[in-house]
């Protein structure tokens, strides 16, 4: 039964059971409407408790129904009926009460939550706004200065914060359902939120700052702006008018290209894990992880594993390096504690789970070891060979290399089937994307285990086959080359970066390179120089900057000049260098418009993606969208470069 009803004395317990996340599908809405009718009609029922089976309270409207013809009762209508119920309803919240789920809790007259529950209105992340009364009811319960963060920012609040805000009435101590029933037994009917006045803004500065921050962060996305409009309506209209205005805005967004694109990327990010679901193959449970190399990447990977609850042993070549690596990891854990990502108990556990050593024998119990040592083939082969001799035969050996040939590494070992690529993006404990690079010799068990490991780390795992730069860096190198061609053809770095920012990137390709360090791609170009295709156009500007010691932000100059307190300013020297290069190549410079800049960049991304698909290095076009959105900030509300093809650039 999708919605069932049991009586506990005079309390009716209505249970939604709609796996996997109790989304308010049509069946759930019908079931709730029947339960409302039954409990209203039953004189023995004094109050109602609404809770959910499985892992979470309602996590939202059923996104799979979007785009299909609406079916009554609509969620807004059903929620208005529950709110008008003559008997008190108590929402018992666990897991993640999101979107329509939180809106359902808001029409209940009381709310009690499990201590670990999270509550949010994340509709803006799907290109929407709350469409079932959330923008009208929330500012009648909590201060608008906080409501705007939830509605237009889409970020979750913990149960503790929800209690502080007044969003919930109680946090359960041990037995959520039992305590919800007790709350219902003492409940009297409260005025529904839409019958209460909205809470006035008390600090216009706080409101203005919050709204401005959201508008700036939105870049080209429309839903956060619409969310602010909906909330402003709720603060000046009566509830019925505000509800109607919210619905109109919601329906306009629901049919928008951005909403279709954001739904596409939402489901695409969940579908990438299918590459790890191999028929008849179960992932091997992992309990001990080893990381070799305590530099930036190694320490980030170790921290990511510790944050996911894995015990980790970090290996370095000597005690000094091991201590330095340990300090990097502990600093990251401390930061996670400060940011509330870790509770105090979890932080303590992570620190206890963390060990360092200079001896591979410390990895004799490891189920998975990830090497993140210097990007040199022989160094990595030596490390993997020594590791293979120290670990159990069934242990998985993973490399974090960002472009070296993992087939060559695997071929150097006696158990190549246990070798796989786990390409993290820096900072490894923050960036969601993880490229799982499968070799020609890897076995299914190893692949399935790598995907399960990624899910435990809450990473978005994308399968790639071995190839220069795998998926992300190969595409980025291609459009970086195209951008460099445009420097010779007539554009300046700041022209290109401005066009990319206007399109919706968080930063342009030249700002990004200055930030990462120009010496990294310079080293790669030098490594590939001997085998470079001499017939392919080659731009020397980056090399000349590096030859002059200009590696970007870290040296005070790269494509930009950072001498003005670190701010990126157009550099006259770089302009002169570019002009001289155009002359040296006999190129007549021309003006290149923003539109033309983006056409060339998007064209290059798509042509490289087509080759990746043809070569089988990328599994499908959706995976490429997921990579580009999560690795380089390709604007999410476009759906990614492949989905965006179907729209207008
Ligand atoms: N509808 C349908 N299916 C959903 C779903 C949803 N809202 N949310 C998740 N799923 C599926 C998902 O596709 C996957 O399916 C499975 O559940 C597990 O998800 C009126 C209109 C809840 C935090 O934006 O954030 O309410 O691949 O892999 O990592 O104002 O899913 O297994 O077949 O992500 O544990 C608002 C979206 C909707 C929440 C769980 N709600 N979901 O994360 O598992 S709009 C949301 C999530 C709305 C109202 C408006 C996450 C999660 P499959 P998962 P997870």
């Amino acid at each position: 039964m999708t919605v069932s009803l049991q009586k506990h004395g005079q309390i009716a317990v209505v249970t939604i059971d709609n796996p996997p996340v109790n989304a308010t599908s049509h069946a759930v809405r019908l079931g709730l409407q029947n339960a409302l009718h039954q409990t209203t009609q039953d004189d023995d029922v004094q109050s109602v408790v609404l809770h959910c089976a499985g892992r979470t309270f309602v996590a939202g409207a059923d996104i799979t129904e979007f785009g299909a013809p609406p079916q009554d009762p609509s969620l807004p209508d059903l929620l208005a009926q529950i709110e008008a119920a003559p008997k008190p309803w108590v929402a018992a919240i666990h897991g993640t009460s999101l979107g329509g789920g939180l809106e359902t809790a808001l029409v209940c007259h009381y709310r009690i939550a499990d201590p670990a529950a999270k509550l949010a209105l994340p509709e803006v992340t799907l290109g929407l706004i709350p469409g079932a009364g959330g923008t009208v009811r929330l500012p009648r319960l909590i201060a608008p200065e906080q409501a705007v963060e939830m509605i237009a920012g889409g970020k979750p609040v913990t149960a503790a914060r929800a209690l502080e805000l007044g969003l919930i009435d109680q946090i359960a101590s041990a037995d959520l359902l039992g305590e919800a029933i007790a709350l219902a037994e003492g409940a009297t009917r409260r005025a529904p939120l839409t019958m209460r006045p909205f809470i006035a803004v008390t600090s216009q500065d706080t409101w203005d700052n919050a709204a401005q921050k959201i508008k700036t962060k939105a870049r080209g996305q429309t839903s956060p702006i619409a969310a602010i409009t909906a909330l402003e309506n709720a603060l000046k209209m009566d509830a019925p008018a505000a509800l109607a205005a919210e619905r109109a805005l919601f329906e306009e967004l629901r049919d928008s290209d951005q909403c279709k694109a954001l739904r596409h990327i939402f489901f695409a990010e969940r579908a990438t894990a299918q590459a790890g679901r191999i028929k008849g193959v179960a992932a091997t449970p992992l309990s001990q992880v080893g990381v070799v190399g305590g530099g930036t990447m190694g320490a980030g990977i170790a921290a990511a594993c510790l944050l996911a609850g894995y015990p980790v042993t970090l290996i370095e070549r000597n005690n000094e390096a091991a201590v330095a690596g340990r300090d990097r990891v502990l600093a990251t854990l401390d930061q996670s504690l400060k940011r509330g990502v870790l509770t105090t108990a979890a932080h303590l556990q992570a620190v206890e789970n963390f060990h360092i050593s200079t001896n591979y024998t410390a990895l004799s119990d490891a189920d998975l070891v990830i090497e993140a040592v210097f990007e040199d083939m022989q160094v990595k082969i030596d490390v993997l060979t020594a590791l293979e001799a120290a670990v159990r035969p069934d242990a998985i050996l993973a490399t974090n290399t960002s472009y070296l040939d993992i087939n060559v590494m695997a071929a150097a070992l006696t158990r190549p089937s246990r070798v796989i690529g786990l390409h993290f993006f820096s900072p490894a404990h923050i960036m969601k994307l993880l490229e799982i690079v499968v070799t020609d010799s890897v076995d299914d068990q190893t692949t399935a285990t790598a995907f399960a490991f990624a899910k435990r780390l809450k990473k978005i795992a994308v399968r790639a086959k071995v190839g220069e730069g795998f998926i992300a860096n190969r595409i980025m190198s291609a459009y970086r080359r195209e951008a460099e061609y445009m420097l010779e053809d007539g554009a300046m770095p700041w022209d290109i970066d401005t066009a990319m920012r206007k399109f919706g990137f968080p930063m342009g390709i030249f700002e990004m390179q200055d930030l990462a360090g120009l010496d990294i791609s310079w080293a790669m170009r030098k490594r590939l120089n001997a085998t470079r295709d001499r017939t392919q156009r080659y731009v020397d500007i980056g090399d000349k900057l590096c030859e002059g010691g200009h590696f970007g932000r870290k040296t005070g100059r790269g494509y930009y000049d950072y001498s003005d307190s670190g701010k990126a300013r157009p550099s006259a020297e770089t302009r002169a260098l570019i002009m001289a290069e155009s002359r040296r190549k006999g190129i007549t410079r021309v003006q290149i418009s923003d539109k033309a800049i983006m056409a060339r960049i998007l064209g290059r991304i798509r042509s490289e993606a087509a080759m990746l698909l043809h070569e089988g290095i990328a599994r499908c076009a959706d995976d490429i969208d997921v990579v580009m959105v999560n690795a380089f900030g390709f604007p999410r509300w476009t759906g990614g470069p492949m989905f965006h093809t179907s729209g207008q650039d």
Side-chain angles (χ1 to χ4, degrees):
M1 277 275 275
T2 309
V3 177
S4 59
L5 195 158
Q6 286 89 24
K7 299 268 281 285
H8 291 249
Q10 291 194 289
I11 306 301
V13 174
V14 176
T15 303
I16 299 171
D17 188 4
N18 182 32
V21 296
N22 289 312
T24 53
S25 63
H26 183 230
V28 167
R29 298 196 303 274
L30 282 176
L32 281 176
Q33 193 168 55
N34 292 338
L36 171 65
H37 182 69
Q38 284 181 49
T39 52
T40 301
Q41 297 304 314
D42 184 339
D43 293 339
D44 287 345
V45 169
Q46 170 204 323
S47 305
V48 181
V49 168
L50 173 63
H51 89 130
C52 290
R55 63 181 181 162
T56 179
F57 191 76
V58 176
D62 188 335
I63 314 179
T64 61
E65 289 182 355
F66 287 11
Q71 293 175 289
D72 288 337
S74 72
L75 190 60
D77 291 349
L78 170 66
L79 296 191
Q81 293 166 27
I82 294 175
E83 184 179 51
K87 301 171 184 177
W89 278 55
V90 175
I93 299 164
H94 71 291
T96 48
S97 169
L98 306 177
L102 181 50
E103 291 174 301
T104 301
L106 285 173
V107 299
C108 294
H109 307 89
Y110 296 82
R111 286 158 290 280
I112 177 173
D114 176 275
K118 293 263 177 30
L119 302 91
L121 291 169
E123 288 87 339
V124 289
T125 63
L126 291 168
L128 294 163
I129 61 168
T135 67
V136 179
R137 293 187 175 96
L138 192 64
R140 284 166 165 77
L141 195 60
I142 72 173
E145 296 89 328
Q146 274 77 42
V148 71
E149 297 272 356
M150 288 191 73
I151 293 169
K155 291 270 181 288
V157 295
T158 61
R161 178 68 175 145
L163 186 67
E164 209 176 88
L165 291 171
L167 183 52
I168 60 174
D169 301 284
Q170 194 176 321
I171 292 181
S173 53
D175 167 17
L176 175 64
L177 184 56
E179 292 171 52
I181 291 170
L183 178 57
E185 280 161 349
T188 54
R189 194 169 179 293
R190 274 176 172 172
L193 289 174
T194 46
M195 303 297 277
R196 300 185 205 172
F198 57 77
I199 299 168
V201 171
T202 48
S203 161
Q204 193 57 45
D205 282 352
T206 308
W207 167 274
D208 292 343
N209 292 339
Q212 188 49 53
K213 199 170 78 174
I214 285 158
K215 286 173 182 170
T216 307
K217 192 162 171 281
R219 295 202 298 274
Q221 190 174 339
T222 50
S223 53
I225 313 303
I228 292 173
T229 304
L231 196 47
E232 284 167 343
N233 289 339
L235 299 177
K236 63 188 178 194
M237 299 176 179
D238 62 26
L243 285 170
E246 174 196 84
R247 195 69 197 160
L249 261 177
F250 171 83
E251 286 172 352
E252 188 185 323
L253 289 169
R254 187 189 52 197
D255 304 334
S256 69
D257 288 343
Q258 285 197 6
C259 184
K260 292 185 186 97
L262 286 162
R263 288 206 309 272
H264 157 73
I265 205 73
F266 173 86
F267 286 113
E269 285 174 340
R270 280 147 187 81
T272 60
Q274 279 162 13
R277 295 176 194 156
I278 300 162
K279 199 166 169 40
V281 177
T284 310
L286 299 177
S287 56
Q288 300 280 343
V289 176
V291 176
V292 180
T296 306
M297 286 311 292
I301 293 167
C305 296
L306 289 162
L307 288 169
Y310 286 110
V312 174
T313 300
L314 178 69
I315 303 282
E316 258 290 3
R317 57 193 182 290
N318 60 48
N319 199 46
E320 186 192 352
V323 167
R326 181 199 63 192
D327 292 350
R328 282 188 197 94
V329 174
L330 294 179
T332 301
L333 295 180
D334 292 349
Q335 205 182 34
S336 300
L337 175 64
K338 282 199 192 81
R339 288 186 17 237
V341 171
L342 276 182
T343 61
T344 309
H347 176 261
L348 197 62
Q349 183 60 66
V351 173
E352 282 171 7
N353 278 345
F354 180 44
H355 305 283
I356 59 172
S357 174
T358 58
N359 195 321
Y360 287 150
T361 54
L363 299 178
S364 56
D365 283 343
D367 307 297
L368 163 69
V369 182
I370 304 164
E371 69 78 17
V373 297
F374 182 64
E375 278 293 276
D376 173 90
M377 181 60 84
Q378 196 52 52
V379 168
K380 288 187 181 294
I381 287 177
D382 294 347
V383 164
L384 289 167
T385 306
L387 274 175
E388 189 176 49
V391 300
R392 295 194 322 260
D394 65 324
I396 292 172
L397 298 180
T399 171
N400 175 57
T401 185
S402 48
Y403 51 76
L404 296 174
D405 187 334
I406 306 173
N407 282 325
V408 171
M409 295 179 205
L413 302 180
T414 55
R415 293 188 298 277
S417 64
R418 307 299 284 170
V419 176
I420 197 161
L422 292 178
H423 179 222
F424 289 81
F425 289 78
S426 186
H429 66 291
I430 300 272
M431 291 294 280
K432 295 288 281 180
L433 188 67
L434 175 62
E435 285 180 321
I436 296 185
V437 187
V438 295
T439 63
D440 299 338
S441 53
V442 72
D443 63 30
D444 287 345
Q445 187 79 41
T446 302
T447 303
T449 304
F451 274 87
F453 170 70
K455 183 151 178 86
R456 169 94 177 260
L457 264 60
K458 295 197 179 346
K459 296 294 183 185
I460 297 169
V462 176
R463 191 217 72 169
K465 293 205 76 172
V466 173
E468 180 67 32
F470 313 132
I471 299 172
N473 287 341
R474 170 148 161 200
I475 293 178
M476 193 272 284
S477 299
Y479 71 84
R480 180 182 46 124
R481 277 195 303 273
E482 190 63 31
E484 289 170 350
Y485 297 158
M486 286 193 268
L487 295 185
E488 290 184 336
D489 294 346
M492 285 294 157
W494 29 97
D495 300 330
I496 291 169
D497 289 351
T498 301
M500 291 183 75
R501 278 178 179 269
K502 281 181 183 169
F503 180 76
F505 280 89
M507 65 170 72
I509 184 69
F510 294 107
E511 296 169 286
M512 187 172 88
Q513 288 184 80
D514 269 2
L515 189 61
L518 302 181
D519 46 330
I520 295 173
S521 52
W522 186 36
M524 193 179 70
R525 290 196 298 273
K526 286 193 287 187
R527 178 174 62 82
L528 297 172
N529 193 43
T531 56
R532 174 166 65 83
D533 173 0
R534 287 305 192 273
T535 63
Q536 191 183 53
R537 182 177 178 182
Y538 187 82
V539 176
D540 300 88
I541 295 165
D543 295 352
K544 289 182 184 297
L545 282 171
C546 290
E547 282 150 19
H550 306 303
F551 296 156
R553 185 178 284 275
K554 62 186 173 186
T555 58
R557 204 191 121 207
Y559 285 100
Y560 291 83
D561 181 301
Y562 298 91
S563 54
D564 171 13
S565 59
K567 288 195 183 69
R569 302 280 188 220
S571 155
E573 292 86 351
T574 302
R575 174 190 295 278
L577 167 62
I578 292 168
M579 300 298 278
E581 281 299 291
S582 299
R583 274 194 305 278
R584 184 175 71 83
K585 297 257 185 106
I587 295 169
T588 306
R589 293 177 66 82
V590 294
Q591 184 72 28
I592 309 177
S593 68
D594 288 353
K595 188 170 169 58
I597 288 170
M598 286 317 300
R600 285 179 65 170
I601 287 178
L602 294 173
R604 181 61 65 189
I605 289 174
R606 288 174 188 138
S607 61
E608 203 66 27
M611 283 188 273
L612 283 166
L613 292 168
H614 176 69
E615 294 162 26
I617 291 177
R619 189 176 64 108
C620 60
D622 287 4
D623 281 9
I624 290 174
D625 283 337
V626 171
V627 164
M628 291 307 292
V629 163
N630 286 287
F632 304 115
F634 195 97
R636 195 179 176 80
W637 61 89
T638 69
M642 309 309 279
F643 183 85
H644 189 59
T645 315
S646 49
Q648 295 307 314
D649 286 343

